[in-house]
Amino acid sequence: MAGMGERSYVYAKACGIIGKSFVGRRIAALHPVSRLSELDRLIFGSGARELPERELLPDLEKRLIRRSVAQIVSIVNSFKNPPELLSLLLRVYEYSDLKTALALIAEGELAGPRGEPAALGRFGTVRFDAWPDAKAMLGGTEFEFLLGGKGELKKEFDGVSLETALDRHYYGRLWKSILALGRGDRRGAEKITAEEISLRNCVWMLRLRTYYGMEAGEVRQHLISLKERPDLGADALEALEFPLDSRAEWERWKRVSFLNPEGPSRRVFQSEGSSGVWYADPRYFQNAASEYLYKLTLHSFRRRPSSIDTSFCFIKLKQFEEDLLTSDAEGLGMGMSSKDVFGILEAGPSLKQESP
């Protein structure tokens, strides 16, 4: 395990990067931005691109990912022998790229994935350059379970089932890597990850019921279940039968505070035969859950400077920042202001009050 000197160096380096990141009080600097080019200059300074707005958006999104990945890699590489927990947090980009690549194979798409996969260096395991040969991509990796006897992608792994399989695999490995650490090193990571899995199950439950029209029995098959923590699916399971168009029925639910408030939904969704004006909005819930997890992580970042928790929180904060900046860029690309974007995310007013 890393010694105190190594841990102190990583903590100082992480604090330096976070101090220049758009988290905590620095989020307020995004609010006056009204054009995509302004956001580019604010983030990248002299490295900003002089491109038309239509070309700038995809270019900026790629650079935001590269920026986050490079900063995370610099922290993980600061450990001579990085804890598996940290390398797995970094490899969430590989899981995301893999979902896209395999979904295209399952759909018979011949054009291939758009853009390059995240550059993870020694931490990458999938051979994306072998696409669309699933066997060549995944052979000898932890993802071989997705392959059939002839080396092709198994038929059952497509669409929602593929995403479910990879999410379960990822969180199963992540949880074991947390338990492999000493209690002092994992206290924050364990709490934050448990909340993340529970809330992810709730979001997934709402999405499957709302967008896919799945019944309770089918939804159960797609929730994340850990042998060590079966309780992390309890909140989602409890709400499986709650009507999507009656908020009153949800009032006794543990996670009710993450639901959109009473009143007309901003989503264009209406269950068949419904005459109400309120509908459970998965996007609102997801934004509220993201804000909650962000605050939990921010408050934990400096609590135990010599623990692995610090690096865990650093990675989570950088990934939150990336999501926030990407959402802002997409909104600006559609002609919205940053103020409008933050209003939709339900994060602007409260996040700017936080300190790093």
Side-chain angles (χ1 to χ4, degrees), residues 58 61-63 65-66 69 93-94 96-98 100-101 111-120 126-131:
E61 289 178 331
K62 291 175 185 177
R63 283 183 286 133
I65 294 174
R66 287 200 295 267
V69 169
Y93 292 97
E94 182 175 65
S96 179
D97 288 334
L98 184 58
T100 300
R114 295 181 180 180
E116 295 294 321
L120 304 186
V126 176
R127 294 176 288 278
F128 287 104
D129 58 351
W131 190 95

Side-chain angles (χ1 to χ4, degrees), residues 4 27 41 65 73 76 88-89 104 115 138 144-145 197 203 219 238 257 262 280 301 311:
M4 288 303 298
I27 290 178
R41 287 192 296 271
I65 294 174
V73 167
V76 181
L88 280 170
L89 288 178
L104 291 174
L138 308 180
E144 277 191 319
F145 73 94
I197 294 172
V203 171
V219 172
E238 182 186 353
S257 62
E262 198 74 59
F301 175 58
S311 298

Side-chain angles (χ1 to χ4, degrees), residues 1 18 58 62 66 79 129 169 184 186 192 230 240 262 308 314 317 331-332:
M1 189 57 70
I18 288 296
K62 291 175 185 177
R66 287 200 295 267
F79 291 95
D129 58 351
H169 184 73
R186 72 173 196 250
I192 293 167
L240 280 178
E262 198 74 59
I308 301 302
F314 168 84
L317 288 174
L332 292 169

